[in-house]
Amino acid sequence: MHRPAVTDRILATPLLAGLLVAATCATAGLAAARLTAGCDGASRPDPRQLVRVDCQTPERCAAVEALALDVWTDVRAADQPLDIVVTRAELPALLELGLGWETLVDDIDADAAAERARIRGARATDGGDDWFAEYRDNDAITSHLGALVERSPGLVSSRLIGRSIEGRPIFAYRIGPASATGKPLLVSGTLHAREWIAAMATTCVADRLARDYETSAGVRALLDQTPIWIAPMMNPDGYEHTWGANRYWRKNRRGTHGVDLNRNFSIAWGGAGSSNRERAETYRGATAFSEPESRALRDLAISEGIGAYLDFHSYGQLLLYPWSYTAKPAADHARLAAVGDRLATALYAPHQQRYELKTGADLYAASGTAFDFMYGETGALAYTVELRPAGRKGLNGFVLPPAQIKPTCDEAYAAVLALGEAQ
Ligand code: 0X9
Ligand code: ZN
């Protein structure tokens, strides 16, 4: 734990200036390079670091969150520390609150730069035969799934469900024969741009379902009954941005600051755990469904009459069920918890990784989420999975080694099959 010395106060630039610089960096990516010498991993005088703050009381934790810094921790409770992104210029804000910190990652943009260099190197050396051995960009994901449709035309079809703010197509893929008329299971991924493992795992689940239909009696029996819709890339603009300007971008690309798509749905829109400040990472947008990306997911769920929903995020190894916006138990709490138990068992089976089961609100309040909407408006059994890694290890959890893609996919796939069977 770094206990700041008095000299830190003297060295520090004014808090407001520091916050402005960081916010500009977080939102404008490379454009901010002049100010901080780079959000892109280039050397800079004041790198973005990940620090752990033991805020101790609910009031102090709330005060830290009110600074509108980027909080990466999934567990929010007074007895649990917060992992937040700060520049050196922002540290005085913590000092003002009388808080110390422990540095977990010195320079998160250096991690991103190393990742980028590795991906470039892999492109140069391999022919891409092992597709899930590395992270892929939006175009590669779209072509991979397009090839899957071509390979299994009677089983897999694609639908353009909408277009992003910047006009990119958003696709969903239906897996199952036309004769499957049960209530569909809907799977979504990458509402949050920087959670790359969600894009890879949902693409991989589509891939496996299509291939295993031919070889596994269990998968065939499931899909003959229950079609599975997969929308792996719900935030293509944000994702594209993470491949270029800013690896840690979370929101969509509305205006300068973007909207948190997982706060833009209509159940309890505007409530606790969402922000009306555009710069905040949990900015909910001007109105519920102000964003084309969230509308696309809503319309698909409603037009298909889904019976179950699974939304993939990262990270923390958690399995969450409604409600997210309130601690009040859902009317179907017992059933959601019982099915959740089966999903947690399925997630554990492939590699003995624990995924902790709890309600969203038990973790922290979040209003306007996709899975609260799917449960509240369509009656679907709805869950959010926070994929690997587990939290609290002092890692930069968004930059997950590519060797973890396949084992994480094993877990995601097991959860999808278990939910399909439970429905
Ligand atoms: O905050 C979110 O949108 C989700 N976590 S993430 O780190 N992927 O951004 C979790 C939403 C689940 N609901 C609650 N925690 N209440
Ligand atoms: Zn997320």
Side-chain angles (χ1 to χ4, degrees), residues 74 192 195 250 262-263 313-314 320 324 360 363-364 366 386:
D74 241 329
H192 291 145
E195 298 165 11
R250 167 182 167 96
N262 210 26
R263 300 293 183 278
H313 288 253
S314 75
L320 308 172
S324 197
L363 191 59
Y364 55 85
E386 299 283 354

Side-chain angles (χ1 to χ4, degrees), residues 320-389:
L320 308 172
Y321 60 98
W323 294 113
S324 197
Y325 79 96
T326 174
K328 184 181 76 189
D332 305 289
H333 182 91
R335 171 136 172 81
L336 286 161
V339 172
D341 233 29
R342 281 149 74 177
L343 264 58
T345 304
L347 285 157
Y348 179 77
H351 303 287
Q352 291 69 58
Q353 289 292 311
R354 290 197 186 285
Y355 283 70
E356 201 184 334
L357 175 67
K358 52 174 73 178
T359 69
D362 269 355
L363 191 59
Y364 55 85
S367 300
T369 61
F371 78 127
D372 269 5
F373 173 82
M374 297 300 172
Y375 170 65
E377 287 294 331
T378 78
L381 284 170
Y383 298 85
T384 293
V385 178
E386 299 283 354
L387 291 165
R388 294 188 186 196

Side-chain angles (χ1 to χ4, degrees), residues 124-197:
T125 54
D126 88 31
D129 48 337
D130 191 358
W131 204 83
F132 291 101
E134 188 50 277
Y135 292 93
R136 308 292 171 178
D137 64 16
N138 185 42
D139 285 348
I141 288 172
T142 306
S143 341
H144 184 83
L145 291 168
L148 199 66
V149 174
E150 278 178 28
R151 185 182 167 273
S152 314
L155 184 70
V156 186
S157 57
S158 67
R159 184 186 293 174
L160 179 70
I161 60 168
R163 284 191 179 271
S164 63
I165 289 276
E166 292 174 350
R168 290 190 178 82
I170 301 174
F171 292 108
Y173 302 85
R174 182 186 184 279
I175 305 172
S179 53
T181 51
K183 273 179 166 286
L185 161 59
L186 173 60
V187 173
S188 59
T190 336
L191 280 166
H192 291 145
R194 63 194 177 188
E195 298 165 11
W196 284 12
I197 189 62

